[in-house]
Amino acid sequence: MPLQISPKLTAVHPPPIGEVAAWRALSPPDLPIIDLCQAVPNYSPAADLVAYLQEVLTDPQTSRYSPDEGLADVREAICARYQRRYAGQLAPDQLCLTIGASQAFWLAVLATCQTGDEVIVQLPCYFDHPMALALLGIKAVYPPYDGNSPGLPDPAAIAALITPRTRAILLVTPSNPTGTVTPSALIDALYDLAADHQLALIVDETYSDFLTPEEPPHRLFSRPGWDEHFIQIMSFGKTYALTGYRAGLLAGSRRLIREVLKIQDTMVVCQPRITQQAIKYGVMHLDPWVAANCAMMQQRQNAFRAAFMVDGNPFTLVASGSFFAWVRHPFPELDSRAVARLLAQQVGILTLPGAVFGPGLERYLRFALGNLTEEQIPETIARLQGLQILEAP
């Protein structure tokens, strides 16, 4: 008899990044691949950070466990940066360092939900979130998506979906996959809605360091009692070009952090010390470096938007941000996976189909701009224009 595997697991679609990466083999051999699939910076970590980490590796302590929640001095340094970035009133015991933002999401959901509960998930959504909810037996509930909008949440539509089973409202801002930034006032309204219904507002801010630093992404951290209903998921992997270090963070109430450490200890014990030291150096020394990369990514997005709007491009740019473009494809008779496969097979562009970001999104594709250089933008648009002459299968 073959090994019995959980039906919950087999019912979940495989990770889409791996599926699309396999389509490289289908691409024309004479065309260099343009990879718009995975959202990673195409630049290296800061040279002084790399030099610092080389020194850290010689310290025997680096190879040892840390406290489950992370080293106290690292969390103190992070709190100081939150004060600069958000005017945020955080204490080290309101933070837990995690193996990327994905693990932080698992901690947040496991702490607030049980099997059979519901989480309201803004569309389009980051594909790992509904995958995790399905694996945990938690129902994702989606507000209607207006295909002509950038996907901003509508508090009234969300309120209409709240039931006795609802435990949390989930928002990603800046959005993955659209790049859309939810305004601070709208985040305030969602917090008030969550508080009124005794829910958690879980906000994933993985890409918030690619917003201009003049204004904080929101002002929840400066509200008295912010941690009663707000849980933040954060990642420094994109911020410091350390995606492989898995530099995540969960911020919430002291009570929440105490409880999630039970999960942390049984899941991973602690974030690796080398990652913690990288975060500490980054938050203490690299604000100007981060700001320069933010400006560079904004310039890249502006160049992409300008090039995309040329006559003859059959694709429609619905929304974009520093790391992403959300695009409507011109083949209503094809699903998004078929169109993404066509792009790989015919013109050597790797991109994710809209269907992986939620139901009803077959007309869309996500372009990740992190791997795209400005020099590649004209070639990318030319290849998209070339696809319109192909006959649909």
Side-chain angles (χ1 to χ4, degrees), residues 90-160:
L90 279 82
D93 57 358
Q94 292 175 295
L95 302 177
C96 177
L97 306 185
T98 62
I99 311 296
S102 294
Q103 195 227 342
F105 178 70
W106 275 76
L107 294 182
V109 172
L110 285 168
T112 56
C113 301
Q114 300 183 69
T115 299
D117 285 341
E118 298 176 355
V119 173
I120 298 174
V121 180
Q122 178 64 28
L123 286 177
C125 62
Y126 174 48
F127 53 81
D128 269 2
H129 291 160
M131 287 172 67
L133 293 174
L135 290 169
L136 291 168
I138 297 164
K139 182 181 179 181
V141 179
Y142 303 103
Y145 171 63
D146 178 357
N148 296 312
S149 81
L152 287 174
D154 178 352
I158 291 172

Side-chain angles (χ1 to χ4, degrees), residues 296-345:
M296 181 268 292
M297 289 299 298
Q298 185 63 56
Q299 180 178 327
R300 184 181 301 178
Q301 182 210 167
N302 291 341
F304 179 84
R305 288 183 64 90
F308 201 94
M309 300 303 183
V310 296
D311 292 339
N313 184 357
F315 292 78
T316 303
L317 186 62
V318 178
S320 67
S322 292
F323 255 84
F324 301 110
W326 185 240
V327 173
R328 186 183 302 114
H329 68 74
F331 300 114
E333 70 278 14
L334 296 181
D335 64 43
S336 59
R337 189 168 265 100
V339 176
R341 189 179 175 95
L342 266 180
L343 283 167
Q345 187 173 2

Side-chain angles (χ1 to χ4, degrees), residues 15 25 29 56 68 93 98 145 153 191 210 216 231 269 293 308 318 334 337 349 354 363 371 376:
V56 168
D68 290 3
D93 57 358
T98 62
Y145 171 63
Y191 179 89
F210 293 91
I231 301 173
V269 179
N293 286 321
F308 201 94
V318 178
L334 296 181
R337 189 168 265 100
I349 292 176
R363 285 299 309 276
N371 273 323
Q376 289 176 308

Side-chain angles (χ1 to χ4, degrees), residues 119-272:
V119 173
I120 298 174
V121 180
Q122 178 64 28
L123 286 177
C125 62
Y126 174 48
F127 53 81
D128 269 2
H129 291 160
M131 287 172 67
L133 293 174
L135 290 169
L136 291 168
I138 297 164
K139 182 181 179 181
V141 179
Y142 303 103
Y145 171 63
D146 178 357
N148 296 312
S149 81
L152 287 174
D154 178 352
I158 291 172
L161 298 175
I162 295 173
T163 75
R165 287 284 191 180
T166 307
R167 296 292 176 266
I169 300 166
L170 173 63
L171 175 69
V172 180
T173 180
S175 168
N176 177 0
T178 70
T180 299
V181 178
T182 302
S184 179
L186 192 47
I187 295 175
D188 281 337
L190 292 176
Y191 179 89
D192 292 337
L193 178 63
D196 288 344
H197 291 271
Q198 295 299 300
L199 307 176
L201 174 63
I202 303 173
V203 183
D204 183 330
E205 297 187 60
T206 293
Y207 297 93
S208 64
D209 282 328
F210 293 91
L211 301 176
T212 54
E214 286 77 15
E215 290 289 330
H218 56 76
R219 301 188 183 277
L220 292 186
F221 284 118
S222 60
R223 290 176 62 150
W226 64 265
D227 58 357
E228 293 178 6
H229 297 282
F230 174 45
I231 301 173
Q232 190 212 38
I233 295 166
M234 182 58 185
S235 170
F236 295 107
K238 272 78 173 183
T239 304
Y240 301 121
L242 296 170
T243 53
Y245 281 63
R246 312 306 298 130
L249 175 152
L250 183 74
S253 69
R254 291 173 175 86
R255 176 171 173 261
L256 176 82
I257 298 302
R258 284 197 304 270
E259 295 301 322
V260 301
L261 292 183
K262 300 171 185 176
I263 311 167
Q264 177 89 336
D265 194 72
T266 59
M267 183 181 282
V268 298
V269 179
C270 62
Q271 188 185 77

Side-chain angles (χ1 to χ4, degrees), residues 56-66 273-274:
V56 168
L57 282 171
T58 66
D59 182 351
Q61 289 291 329
T62 301
S63 301
R64 297 179 180 175
Y65 290 125
S66 81
R273 278 185 182 247
I274 190 67

Side-chain angles (χ1 to χ4, degrees), residues 348-376:
I349 292 176
L350 297 181
T351 184
L352 286 184
V356 306
F357 299 102
L361 301 176
E362 292 288 3
R363 285 299 309 276
Y364 302 93
L365 303 166
R366 187 196 78 174
F367 290 0
L369 306 182
N371 273 323
L372 187 68
T373 65
E374 284 198 47
E375 293 73 23
Q376 289 176 308

